[in-house]
PDB file of all heavy atoms in Angstrom:
ATOM      1  N   SER A   1      39.712  35.956 329.871  1.00 98.00           N
ATOM      2  CA  SER A   1      39.330  35.176 331.045  1.00 98.00           C
ATOM      3  C   SER A   1      39.296  33.694 330.675  1.00 98.00           C
ATOM      4  O   SER A   1      38.776  33.323 329.620  1.00 98.00           O
ATOM      5  CB  SER A   1      37.946  35.604 331.549  1.00 98.00           C
ATOM      6  OG  SER A   1      37.955  36.945 331.989  1.00 98.00           O
ATOM      7  N   TYR A   2      39.848  32.844 331.549  1.00 98.00           N
ATOM      8  CA  TYR A   2      39.907  31.408 331.312  1.00 98.00           C
ATOM      9  C   TYR A   2      39.052  30.667 332.338  1.00 98.00           C
ATOM     10  O   TYR A   2      39.032  31.024 333.521  1.00 98.00           O
ATOM     11  CB  TYR A   2      41.345  30.898 331.429  1.00 98.00           C
ATOM     12  CG  TYR A   2      42.269  31.395 330.351  1.00 98.00           C
ATOM     13  CD1 TYR A   2      42.834  32.673 330.424  1.00 98.00           C
ATOM     14  CD2 TYR A   2      42.587  30.606 329.257  1.00 98.00           C
ATOM     15  CE1 TYR A   2      43.682  33.148 329.436  1.00 98.00           C
ATOM     16  CE2 TYR A   2      43.440  31.070 328.262  1.00 98.00           C
ATOM     17  CZ  TYR A   2      43.982  32.336 328.356  1.00 98.00           C
ATOM     18  OH  TYR A   2      44.822  32.802 327.372  1.00 98.00           O
ATOM     19  N   VAL A   3      38.396  29.603 331.869  1.00 98.00           N
ATOM     20  CA  VAL A   3      37.569  28.761 332.725  1.00 98.00           C
ATOM     21  C   VAL A   3      38.219  27.393 332.840  1.00 98.00           C
ATOM     22  O   VAL A   3      38.664  26.813 331.835  1.00 98.00           O
ATOM     23  CB  VAL A   3      36.142  28.627 332.148  1.00 98.00           C
ATOM     24  CG1 VAL A   3      35.286  27.717 333.032  1.00 98.00           C
ATOM     25  CG2 VAL A   3      35.492  30.004 332.027  1.00 98.00           C
ATOM     26  N   SER A   4      38.278  26.874 334.058  1.00 98.00           N
ATOM     27  CA  SER A   4      38.880  25.568 334.298  1.00 98.00           C
ATOM     28  C   SER A   4      38.019  24.459 333.681  1.00 98.00           C
ATOM     29  O   SER A   4      36.790  24.455 333.825  1.00 98.00           O
ATOM     30  CB  SER A   4      39.021  25.332 335.799  1.00 98.00           C
ATOM     31  OG  SER A   4      39.532  24.041 336.073  1.00 98.00           O
ATOM     32  N   VAL A   5      38.678  23.517 333.007  1.00 98.00           N
ATOM     33  CA  VAL A   5      37.987  22.355 332.446  1.00 98.00           C
ATOM     34  C   VAL A   5      38.813  21.110 332.737  1.00 98.00           C
ATOM     35  O   VAL A   5      40.026  21.175 332.962  1.00 98.00           O
ATOM     36  CB  VAL A   5      37.764  22.486 330.919  1.00 98.00           C
ATOM     37  CG1 VAL A   5      36.832  23.650 330.614  1.00 98.00           C
ATOM     38  CG2 VAL A   5      39.076  22.631 330.167  1.00 98.00           C
ATOM     39  N   THR A   6      38.164  19.970 332.713  1.00 98.00           N
ATOM     40  CA  THR A   6      38.852  18.699 332.919  1.00 98.00           C
ATOM     41  C   THR A   6      39.658  18.305 331.695  1.00 98.00           C
ATOM     42  O   THR A   6      40.762  17.761 331.803  1.00 98.00           O
ATOM     43  CB  THR A   6      37.840  17.599 333.258  1.00 98.00           C
ATOM     44  OG1 THR A   6      37.097  17.976 334.425  1.00 98.00           O
ATOM     45  CG2 THR A   6      38.537  16.276 333.519  1.00 98.00           C
ATOM     46  N   ASP A   7      39.105  18.594 330.506  1.00 98.00           N
ATOM     47  CA  ASP A   7      39.724  18.176 329.255  1.00 98.00           C
ATOM     48  C   ASP A   7      39.469  19.258 328.209  1.00 98.00           C
ATOM     49  O   ASP A   7      38.317  19.483 327.820  1.00 98.00           O
ATOM     50  CB  ASP A   7      39.133  16.838 328.813  1.00 98.00           C
ATOM     51  CG  ASP A   7      39.844  16.223 327.618  1.00 98.00           C
ATOM     52  OD1 ASP A   7      40.105  16.954 326.641  1.00 98.00           O
ATOM     53  OD2 ASP A   7      40.119  15.012 327.652  1.00 98.00           O
ATOM     54  N   ALA A   8      40.509  19.929 327.755  1.00 98.00           N
ATOM     55  CA  ALA A   8      40.346  21.030 326.801  1.00 98.00           C
ATOM     56  C   ALA A   8      39.802  20.549 325.459  1.00 98.00           C
ATOM     57  O   ALA A   8      39.065  21.277 324.788  1.00 98.00           O
ATOM     58  CB  ALA A   8      41.690  21.733 326.600  1.00 98.00           C
ATOM     59  N   ASP A   9      40.141  19.336 325.056  1.00 98.00           N
ATOM     60  CA  ASP A   9      39.647  18.821 323.784  1.00 98.00           C
ATOM     61  C   ASP A   9      38.151  18.508 323.852  1.00 98.00           C
ATOM     62  O   ASP A   9      37.404  18.808 322.916  1.00 98.00           O
ATOM     63  CB  ASP A   9      40.445  17.577 323.393  1.00 98.00           C
ATOM     64  CG  ASP A   9      41.912  17.881 323.176  1.00 98.00           C
ATOM     65  OD1 ASP A   9      42.292  18.230 322.049  1.00 98.00           O
ATOM     66  OD2 ASP A   9      42.684  17.804 324.157  1.00 98.00           O
ATOM     67  N   VAL A  10      37.716  17.929 324.954  1.00 98.00           N
ATOM     68  CA  VAL A  10      36.280  17.679 325.140  1.00 98.00           C
ATOM     69  C   VAL A  10      35.528  19.000 325.211  1.00 98.00           C
ATOM     70  O   VAL A  10      34.442  19.151 324.641  1.00 98.00           O
ATOM     71  CB  VAL A  10      36.043  16.839 326.414  1.00 98.00           C
ATOM     72  CG1 VAL A  10      34.554  16.753 326.731  1.00 98.00           C
ATOM     73  CG2 VAL A  10      36.633  15.447 326.244  1.00 98.00           C
ATOM     74  N   ALA A  11      36.102  19.986 325.915  1.00 98.00           N
ATOM     75  CA  ALA A  11      35.462  21.302 326.006  1.00 98.00           C
ATOM     76  C   ALA A  11      35.332  21.936 324.626  1.00 98.00           C
ATOM     77  O   ALA A  11      34.324  22.582 324.319  1.00 98.00           O
ATOM     78  CB  ALA A  11      36.262  22.216 326.935  1.00 98.00           C
ATOM     79  N   THR A  12      36.341  21.752 323.774  1.00 98.00           N
ATOM     80  CA  THR A  12      36.289  22.310 322.423  1.00 98.00           C
ATOM     81  C   THR A  12      35.107  21.745 321.644  1.00 98.00           C
ATOM     82  O   THR A  12      34.397  22.481 320.943  1.00 98.00           O
ATOM     83  CB  THR A  12      37.602  22.014 321.682  1.00 98.00           C
ATOM     84  OG1 THR A  12      38.676  22.650 322.379  1.00 98.00           O
ATOM     85  CG2 THR A  12      37.562  22.531 320.256  1.00 98.00           C
ATOM     86  N   LYS A  13      34.877  20.457 321.762  1.00 98.00           N
ATOM     87  CA  LYS A  13      33.742  19.835 321.072  1.00 98.00           C
ATOM     88  C   LYS A  13      32.418  20.398 321.593  1.00 98.00           C
ATOM     89  O   LYS A  13      31.497  20.672 320.817  1.00 98.00           O
ATOM     90  CB  LYS A  13      33.788  18.324 321.253  1.00 98.00           C
ATOM     91  CG  LYS A  13      34.974  17.669 320.565  1.00 98.00           C
ATOM     92  CD  LYS A  13      34.999  16.165 320.813  1.00 98.00           C
ATOM     93  CE  LYS A  13      36.196  15.514 320.131  1.00 98.00           C
ATOM     94  NZ  LYS A  13      36.263  14.054 320.392  1.00 98.00           N
ATOM     95  N   ALA A  14      32.320  20.590 322.919  1.00 98.00           N
ATOM     96  CA  ALA A  14      31.093  21.128 323.500  1.00 98.00           C
ATOM     97  C   ALA A  14      30.864  22.568 323.057  1.00 98.00           C
ATOM     98  O   ALA A  14      29.735  22.974 322.769  1.00 98.00           O
ATOM     99  CB  ALA A  14      31.151  21.043 325.027  1.00 98.00           C
ATOM    100  N   ILE A  15      31.934  23.334 322.994  1.00 98.00           N
ATOM    101  CA  ILE A  15      31.821  24.748 322.623  1.00 98.00           C
ATOM    102  C   ILE A  15      31.414  24.898 321.165  1.00 98.00           C
ATOM    103  O   ILE A  15      30.528  25.705 320.830  1.00 98.00           O
ATOM    104  CB  ILE A  15      33.156  25.466 322.913  1.00 98.00           C
ATOM    105  CG1 ILE A  15      33.331  25.624 324.433  1.00 98.00           C
ATOM    106  CG2 ILE A  15      33.220  26.831 322.226  1.00 98.00           C
ATOM    107  CD1 ILE A  15      34.730  25.982 324.867  1.00 98.00           C
ATOM    108  N   THR A  16      32.027  24.137 320.276  1.00 98.00           N
ATOM    109  CA  THR A  16      31.651  24.237 318.865  1.00 98.00           C
ATOM    110  C   THR A  16      30.246  23.701 318.628  1.00 98.00           C
ATOM    111  O   THR A  16      29.497  24.248 317.811  1.00 98.00           O
ATOM    112  CB  THR A  16      32.667  23.498 317.981  1.00 98.00           C
ATOM    113  OG1 THR A  16      32.812  22.139 318.430  1.00 98.00           O
ATOM    114  CG2 THR A  16      34.023  24.181 318.044  1.00 98.00           C
ATOM    115  N   ALA A  17      29.853  22.662 319.371  1.00 98.00           N
ATOM    116  CA  ALA A  17      28.496  22.128 319.235  1.00 98.00           C
ATOM    117  C   ALA A  17      27.452  23.141 319.682  1.00 98.00           C
ATOM    118  O   ALA A  17      26.326  23.160 319.161  1.00 98.00           O
ATOM    119  CB  ALA A  17      28.354  20.840 320.048  1.00 98.00           C
ATOM    120  N   ALA A  18      27.818  24.008 320.623  1.00 98.00           N
ATOM    121  CA  ALA A  18      26.886  25.020 321.130  1.00 98.00           C
ATOM    122  C   ALA A  18      26.915  26.300 320.302  1.00 98.00           C
ATOM    123  O   ALA A  18      26.213  27.262 320.629  1.00 98.00           O
ATOM    124  CB  ALA A  18      27.213  25.336 322.589  1.00 98.00           C
ATOM    125  N   GLY A  19      27.717  26.332 319.248  1.00 98.00           N
ATOM    126  CA  GLY A  19      27.752  27.504 318.373  1.00 98.00           C
ATOM    127  C   GLY A  19      28.945  28.402 318.550  1.00 98.00           C
ATOM    128  O   GLY A  19      29.013  29.473 317.947  1.00 98.00           O
ATOM    129  N   GLY A  20      29.929  27.992 319.370  1.00 98.00           N
ATOM    130  CA  GLY A  20      31.131  28.792 319.570  1.00 98.00           C
ATOM    131  C   GLY A  20      32.129  28.601 318.435  1.00 98.00           C
ATOM    132  O   GLY A  20      32.022  27.673 317.629  1.00 98.00           O
ATOM    133  N   GLN A  21      33.102  29.485 318.392  1.00 97.00           N
ATOM    134  CA  GLN A  21      34.131  29.467 317.354  1.00 97.00           C
ATOM    135  C   GLN A  21      35.499  29.276 317.994  1.00 97.00           C
ATOM    136  O   GLN A  21      35.786  29.864 319.043  1.00 97.00           O
ATOM    137  CB  GLN A  21      34.114  30.778 316.567  1.00 97.00           C
ATOM    138  CG  GLN A  21      35.186  30.899 315.503  1.00 97.00           C
ATOM    139  CD  GLN A  21      35.174  32.258 314.817  1.00 97.00           C
ATOM    140  OE1 GLN A  21      34.306  33.080 315.076  1.00 97.00           O
ATOM    141  NE2 GLN A  21      36.153  32.498 313.956  1.00 97.00           N
ATOM    142  N   VAL A  22      36.341  28.455 317.377  1.00 97.00           N
ATOM    143  CA  VAL A  22      37.684  28.215 317.888  1.00 97.00           C
ATOM    144  C   VAL A  22      38.632  29.287 317.365  1.00 97.00           C
ATOM    145  O   VAL A  22      38.777  29.456 316.151  1.00 97.00           O
ATOM    146  CB  VAL A  22      38.199  26.824 317.481  1.00 97.00           C
ATOM    147  CG1 VAL A  22      39.606  26.603 318.038  1.00 97.00           C
ATOM    148  CG2 VAL A  22      37.255  25.734 317.962  1.00 97.00           C
ATOM    149  N   PHE A  23      39.272  30.009 318.250  1.00 95.00           N
ATOM    150  CA  PHE A  23      40.317  30.961 317.882  1.00 95.00           C
ATOM    151  C   PHE A  23      41.698  30.309 317.951  1.00 95.00           C
ATOM    152  O   PHE A  23      42.532  30.498 317.070  1.00 95.00           O
ATOM    153  CB  PHE A  23      40.284  32.183 318.793  1.00 95.00           C
ATOM    154  CG  PHE A  23      39.225  33.196 318.464  1.00 95.00           C
ATOM    155  CD1 PHE A  23      38.983  34.262 319.317  1.00 95.00           C
ATOM    156  CD2 PHE A  23      38.466  33.103 317.306  1.00 95.00           C
ATOM    157  CE1 PHE A  23      38.010  35.219 319.023  1.00 95.00           C
ATOM    158  CE2 PHE A  23      37.493  34.044 316.999  1.00 95.00           C
ATOM    159  CZ  PHE A  23      37.271  35.109 317.855  1.00 95.00           C
ATOM    160  N   VAL A  24      41.954  29.581 319.042  1.00 95.00           N
ATOM    161  CA  VAL A  24      43.213  28.861 319.222  1.00 95.00           C
ATOM    162  C   VAL A  24      42.879  27.435 319.621  1.00 95.00           C
ATOM    163  O   VAL A  24      42.238  27.209 320.648  1.00 95.00           O
ATOM    164  CB  VAL A  24      44.098  29.523 320.304  1.00 95.00           C
ATOM    165  CG1 VAL A  24      45.375  28.717 320.511  1.00 95.00           C
ATOM    166  CG2 VAL A  24      44.420  30.958 319.942  1.00 95.00           C
ATOM    167  N   GLU A  25      43.285  26.482 318.791  1.00 97.00           N
ATOM    168  CA  GLU A  25      43.029  25.065 319.079  1.00 97.00           C
ATOM    169  C   GLU A  25      43.730  24.656 320.373  1.00 97.00           C
ATOM    170  O   GLU A  25      44.736  25.258 320.772  1.00 97.00           O
ATOM    171  CB  GLU A  25      43.532  24.207 317.927  1.00 97.00           C
ATOM    172  CG  GLU A  25      42.784  24.399 316.617  1.00 97.00           C
ATOM    173  CD  GLU A  25      41.459  23.665 316.572  1.00 97.00           C
ATOM    174  OE1 GLU A  25      41.153  22.930 317.535  1.00 97.00           O
ATOM    175  OE2 GLU A  25      40.736  23.829 315.568  1.00 97.00           O
ATOM    176  N   PRO A  26      43.209  23.612 321.041  1.00 98.00           N
ATOM    177  CA  PRO A  26      43.878  23.150 322.268  1.00 98.00           C
ATOM    178  C   PRO A  26      45.363  22.898 322.038  1.00 98.00           C
ATOM    179  O   PRO A  26      45.765  22.271 321.058  1.00 98.00           O
ATOM    180  CB  PRO A  26      43.133  21.854 322.593  1.00 98.00           C
ATOM    181  CG  PRO A  26      41.763  22.064 322.031  1.00 98.00           C
ATOM    182  CD  PRO A  26      41.978  22.844 320.765  1.00 98.00           C
ATOM    183  N   MET A  27      46.172  23.432 322.944  1.00 97.00           N
ATOM    184  CA  MET A  27      47.622  23.296 322.825  1.00 97.00           C
ATOM    185  C   MET A  27      48.239  23.143 324.204  1.00 97.00           C
ATOM    186  O   MET A  27      47.730  23.676 325.203  1.00 97.00           O
ATOM    187  CB  MET A  27      48.227  24.503 322.109  1.00 97.00           C
ATOM    188  CG  MET A  27      47.990  25.824 322.807  1.00 97.00           C
ATOM    189  SD  MET A  27      48.674  27.256 321.912  1.00 97.00           S
ATOM    190  CE  MET A  27      50.429  26.962 322.130  1.00 97.00           C
ATOM    191  N   ASP A  28      49.316  22.392 324.256  1.00 96.00           N
ATOM    192  CA  ASP A  28      50.015  22.180 325.518  1.00 96.00           C
ATOM    193  C   ASP A  28      50.909  23.369 325.845  1.00 96.00           C
ATOM    194  O   ASP A  28      51.583  23.922 324.967  1.00 96.00           O
ATOM    195  CB  ASP A  28      50.880  20.919 325.445  1.00 96.00           C
ATOM    196  CG  ASP A  28      50.054  19.646 325.402  1.00 96.00           C
ATOM    197  OD1 ASP A  28      48.981  19.622 326.021  1.00 96.00           O
ATOM    198  OD2 ASP A  28      50.488  18.677 324.742  1.00 96.00           O
ATOM    199  N   ILE A  29      50.916  23.743 327.100  1.00 93.00           N
ATOM    200  CA  ILE A  29      51.867  24.708 327.638  1.00 93.00           C
ATOM    201  C   ILE A  29      52.830  23.895 328.495  1.00 93.00           C
ATOM    202  O   ILE A  29      52.450  23.412 329.565  1.00 93.00           O
ATOM    203  CB  ILE A  29      51.167  25.800 328.475  1.00 93.00           C
ATOM    204  CG1 ILE A  29      50.032  26.447 327.678  1.00 93.00           C
ATOM    205  CG2 ILE A  29      52.184  26.822 328.940  1.00 93.00           C
ATOM    206  CD1 ILE A  29      50.476  27.128 326.395  1.00 93.00           C
ATOM    207  N   PRO A  30      54.054  23.687 328.034  1.00 90.00           N
ATOM    208  CA  PRO A  30      54.971  22.760 328.702  1.00 90.00           C
ATOM    209  C   PRO A  30      55.094  23.013 330.202  1.00 90.00           C
ATOM    210  O   PRO A  30      55.320  24.136 330.645  1.00 90.00           O
ATOM    211  CB  PRO A  30      56.308  23.014 327.991  1.00 90.00           C
ATOM    212  CG  PRO A  30      55.917  23.493 326.623  1.00 90.00           C
ATOM    213  CD  PRO A  30      54.680  24.317 326.855  1.00 90.00           C
ATOM    214  N   GLY A  31      54.898  21.945 330.950  1.00 86.00           N
ATOM    215  CA  GLY A  31      55.046  22.019 332.390  1.00 86.00           C
ATOM    216  C   GLY A  31      53.930  22.726 333.119  1.00 86.00           C
ATOM    217  O   GLY A  31      54.006  22.915 334.334  1.00 86.00           O
ATOM    218  N   SER A  32      52.882  23.128 332.392  1.00 95.00           N
ATOM    219  CA  SER A  32      51.826  23.921 333.028  1.00 95.00           C
ATOM    220  C   SER A  32      50.436  23.320 332.854  1.00 95.00           C
ATOM    221  O   SER A  32      49.698  23.134 333.813  1.00 95.00           O
ATOM    222  CB  SER A  32      51.829  25.349 332.462  1.00 95.00           C
ATOM    223  OG  SER A  32      53.050  25.996 332.745  1.00 95.00           O
ATOM    224  N   GLY A  33      50.044  23.037 331.606  1.00 97.00           N
ATOM    225  CA  GLY A  33      48.705  22.538 331.352  1.00 97.00           C
ATOM    226  C   GLY A  33      48.367  22.607 329.875  1.00 97.00           C
ATOM    227  O   GLY A  33      49.262  22.568 329.017  1.00 97.00           O
ATOM    228  N   ARG A  34      47.100  22.739 329.571  1.00 98.00           N
ATOM    229  CA  ARG A  34      46.631  22.740 328.191  1.00 98.00           C
ATOM    230  C   ARG A  34      45.548  23.804 328.066  1.00 98.00           C
ATOM    231  O   ARG A  34      44.655  23.896 328.919  1.00 98.00           O
ATOM    232  CB  ARG A  34      46.088  21.364 327.832  1.00 98.00           C
ATOM    233  CG  ARG A  34      45.779  21.122 326.352  1.00 98.00           C
ATOM    234  CD  ARG A  34      45.633  19.629 326.103  1.00 98.00           C
ATOM    235  NE  ARG A  34      45.137  19.314 324.780  1.00 98.00           N
ATOM    236  CZ  ARG A  34      45.876  19.291 323.669  1.00 98.00           C
ATOM    237  NH1 ARG A  34      47.163  19.569 323.753  1.00 98.00           N
ATOM    238  NH2 ARG A  34      45.343  18.974 322.505  1.00 98.00           N
ATOM    239  N   MET A  35      45.608  24.616 327.016  1.00 97.00           N
ATOM    240  CA  MET A  35      44.688  25.734 326.881  1.00 97.00           C
ATOM    241  C   MET A  35      44.115  25.809 325.477  1.00 97.00           C
ATOM    242  O   MET A  35      44.618  25.185 324.538  1.00 97.00           O
ATOM    243  CB  MET A  35      45.383  27.053 327.224  1.00 97.00           C
ATOM    244  CG  MET A  35      46.629  27.368 326.397  1.00 97.00           C
ATOM    245  SD  MET A  35      46.345  28.125 324.766  1.00 97.00           S
ATOM    246  CE  MET A  35      45.758  29.746 325.270  1.00 97.00           C
ATOM    247  N   ALA A  36      43.046  26.587 325.352  1.00 98.00           N
ATOM    248  CA  ALA A  36      42.449  26.905 324.058  1.00 98.00           C
ATOM    249  C   ALA A  36      41.669  28.203 324.225  1.00 98.00           C
ATOM    250  O   ALA A  36      41.282  28.571 325.344  1.00 98.00           O
ATOM    251  CB  ALA A  36      41.524  25.787 323.580  1.00 98.00           C
ATOM    252  N   ILE A  37      41.445  28.897 323.120  1.00 97.00           N
ATOM    253  CA  ILE A  37      40.707  30.165 323.151  1.00 97.00           C
ATOM    254  C   ILE A  37      39.596  30.112 322.119  1.00 97.00           C
ATOM    255  O   ILE A  37      39.776  29.596 320.999  1.00 97.00           O
ATOM    256  CB  ILE A  37      41.639  31.362 322.891  1.00 97.00           C
ATOM    257  CG1 ILE A  37      42.697  31.441 323.991  1.00 97.00           C
ATOM    258  CG2 ILE A  37      40.846  32.669 322.842  1.00 97.00           C
ATOM    259  CD1 ILE A  37      43.704  32.561 323.805  1.00 97.00           C
ATOM    260  N   PHE A  38      38.447  30.658 322.491  1.00 98.00           N
ATOM    261  CA  PHE A  38      37.248  30.588 321.672  1.00 98.00           C
ATOM    262  C   PHE A  38      36.530  31.937 321.645  1.00 98.00           C
ATOM    263  O   PHE A  38      36.909  32.877 322.347  1.00 98.00           O
ATOM    264  CB  PHE A  38      36.277  29.551 322.254  1.00 98.00           C
ATOM    265  CG  PHE A  38      36.911  28.237 322.559  1.00 98.00           C
ATOM    266  CD1 PHE A  38      37.429  27.969 323.817  1.00 98.00           C
ATOM    267  CD2 PHE A  38      37.008  27.250 321.588  1.00 98.00           C
ATOM    268  CE1 PHE A  38      38.024  26.745 324.103  1.00 98.00           C
ATOM    269  CE2 PHE A  38      37.598  26.040 321.857  1.00 98.00           C
ATOM    270  CZ  PHE A  38      38.110  25.780 323.123  1.00 98.00           C
ATOM    271  N   ALA A  39      35.471  31.994 320.863  1.00 97.00           N
ATOM    272  CA  ALA A  39      34.499  33.075 320.928  1.00 97.00           C
ATOM    273  C   ALA A  39      33.129  32.448 321.090  1.00 97.00           C
ATOM    274  O   ALA A  39      32.839  31.391 320.503  1.00 97.00           O
ATOM    275  CB  ALA A  39      34.529  33.933 319.665  1.00 97.00           C
ATOM    276  N   ASP A  40      32.301  33.059 321.916  1.00 98.00           N
ATOM    277  CA  ASP A  40      30.924  32.578 322.031  1.00 98.00           C
ATOM    278  C   ASP A  40      30.148  32.977 320.775  1.00 98.00           C
ATOM    279  O   ASP A  40      30.692  33.665 319.898  1.00 98.00           O
ATOM    280  CB  ASP A  40      30.280  33.058 323.331  1.00 98.00           C
ATOM    281  CG  ASP A  40      30.035  34.563 323.397  1.00 98.00           C
ATOM    282  OD1 ASP A  40      30.012  35.214 322.329  1.00 98.00           O
ATOM    283  OD2 ASP A  40      29.848  35.074 324.514  1.00 98.00           O
ATOM    284  N   PRO A  41      28.889  32.560 320.620  1.00 97.00           N
ATOM    285  CA  PRO A  41      28.174  32.846 319.373  1.00 97.00           C
ATOM    286  C   PRO A  41      28.057  34.327 319.025  1.00 97.00           C
ATOM    287  O   PRO A  41      27.897  34.671 317.846  1.00 97.00           O
ATOM    288  CB  PRO A  41      26.789  32.223 319.623  1.00 97.00           C
ATOM    289  CG  PRO A  41      27.065  31.089 320.553  1.00 97.00           C
ATOM    290  CD  PRO A  41      28.127  31.616 321.472  1.00 97.00           C
ATOM    291  N   ALA A  42      28.145  35.221 320.027  1.00 97.00           N
ATOM    292  CA  ALA A  42      28.077  36.661 319.751  1.00 97.00           C
ATOM    293  C   ALA A  42      29.448  37.264 319.483  1.00 97.00           C
ATOM    294  O   ALA A  42      29.542  38.440 319.122  1.00 97.00           O
ATOM    295  CB  ALA A  42      27.408  37.387 320.917  1.00 97.00           C
ATOM    296  N   GLY A  43      30.519  36.485 319.682  1.00 96.00           N
ATOM    297  CA  GLY A  43      31.859  36.969 319.384  1.00 96.00           C
ATOM    298  C   GLY A  43      32.725  37.302 320.575  1.00 96.00           C
ATOM    299  O   GLY A  43      33.866  37.731 320.394  1.00 96.00           O
ATOM    300  N   ALA A  44      32.231  37.140 321.814  1.00 97.00           N
ATOM    301  CA  ALA A  44      33.045  37.440 323.002  1.00 97.00           C
ATOM    302  C   ALA A  44      34.081  36.339 323.207  1.00 97.00           C
ATOM    303  O   ALA A  44      33.738  35.155 323.290  1.00 97.00           O
ATOM    304  CB  ALA A  44      32.154  37.560 324.240  1.00 97.00           C
ATOM    305  N   ALA A  45      35.352  36.730 323.303  1.00 97.00           N
ATOM    306  CA  ALA A  45      36.439  35.766 323.429  1.00 97.00           C
ATOM    307  C   ALA A  45      36.632  35.331 324.881  1.00 97.00           C
ATOM    308  O   ALA A  45      36.490  36.127 325.814  1.00 97.00           O
ATOM    309  CB  ALA A  45      37.736  36.359 322.890  1.00 97.00           C
ATOM    310  N   PHE A  46      36.975  34.056 325.051  1.00 98.00           N
ATOM    311  CA  PHE A  46      37.304  33.511 326.365  1.00 98.00           C
ATOM    312  C   PHE A  46      38.192  32.293 326.153  1.00 98.00           C
ATOM    313  O   PHE A  46      38.316  31.773 325.032  1.00 98.00           O
ATOM    314  CB  PHE A  46      36.041  33.123 327.143  1.00 98.00           C
ATOM    315  CG  PHE A  46      35.282  31.963 326.537  1.00 98.00           C
ATOM    316  CD1 PHE A  46      35.452  30.669 327.006  1.00 98.00           C
ATOM    317  CD2 PHE A  46      34.407  32.168 325.477  1.00 98.00           C
ATOM    318  CE1 PHE A  46      34.768  29.598 326.438  1.00 98.00           C
ATOM    319  CE2 PHE A  46      33.710  31.112 324.904  1.00 98.00           C
ATOM    320  CZ  PHE A  46      33.893  29.822 325.379  1.00 98.00           C
TER     321      PHE A  46
END
């Protein structure tokens, strides 16, 4: 499941600061947008 954000890089900083883990660093999807994948502190991926 993906959540809309204004800036994936800013969201990454907020997620790691809150105890989340980065699975996939922010990356561009050509012609579509920018995405990243994480796990919350308990390990649930989003």
Side-chain angles (χ1 to χ4, degrees):
S1 296
Y2 293 80
V3 179
S4 177
V5 296
T6 302
D7 188 314
D9 297 271
V10 171
T12 298
K13 294 178 180 178
I15 288 165
T16 54
Q21 177 184 355
V22 180
F23 281 172
V24 178
E25 294 281 356
M27 60 182 290
D28 290 327
I29 307 299
S32 298
R34 190 164 171 80
M35 57 83 69
I37 298 178
F38 311 92
D40 68 19
F46 67 97

